């Protein structure tokens, strides 16, 4: 379970990095392709999490509230539900 959580946390961090990469946004097509790849990775990792998943984490992931999911996984309370 720990590896799945660690991998998911890293993928969520990578997603944020891509989003904030100003240089990457210069080529919109490539930028969007990078975001698609990391989003697919997050979906696959989410599917590997052992059940039951904490209800809050499940909620964040289902709603694609990835910033909140990352905060949760890092032990920081999300600012809003």
């Amino acid at each position: 379970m720990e590896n799945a959580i660690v991998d998911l946390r890293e993928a969520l961090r990578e997603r944020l990095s891509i989003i904030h990469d100003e240089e990457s946004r210069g080529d919109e097509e490539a930028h969007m392709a990078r975001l698609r790849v990391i989003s697919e990775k997050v979906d696959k990792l989410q599917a590997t999490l052992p059940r039951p998943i904490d209800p809050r984490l499940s909620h964040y992931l289902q709603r694609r509230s990835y910033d909140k999911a990352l905060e949760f996984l890092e032990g920081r309370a999300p600012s809003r539900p």
Side-chain angles (χ1 to χ4, degrees), residues 5-22 24-25 30-43 45 66-67 69-71 73-74 76:
I5 296 291
V6 169
D7 292 344
L8 178 59
R9 187 171 49 225
E10 289 306 311
L12 291 170
R13 286 180 185 146
E14 183 179 347
R15 181 183 169 278
L16 278 178
S17 176
I18 292 169
I19 289 170
H20 295 296
D21 185 349
E22 295 290 331
S24 174
R25 285 194 247 170
H31 183 73
M32 294 307 293
R34 290 176 68 203
L35 283 173
R36 264 192 305 281
V37 167
I38 195 62
S39 293
E40 289 169 4
K41 183 176 181 178
V42 168
D43 288 342
L45 290 168
Y66 294 140
D67 293 347
L70 181 58
E71 289 176 4
L73 291 172
E74 290 178 335
R76 298 179 288 137

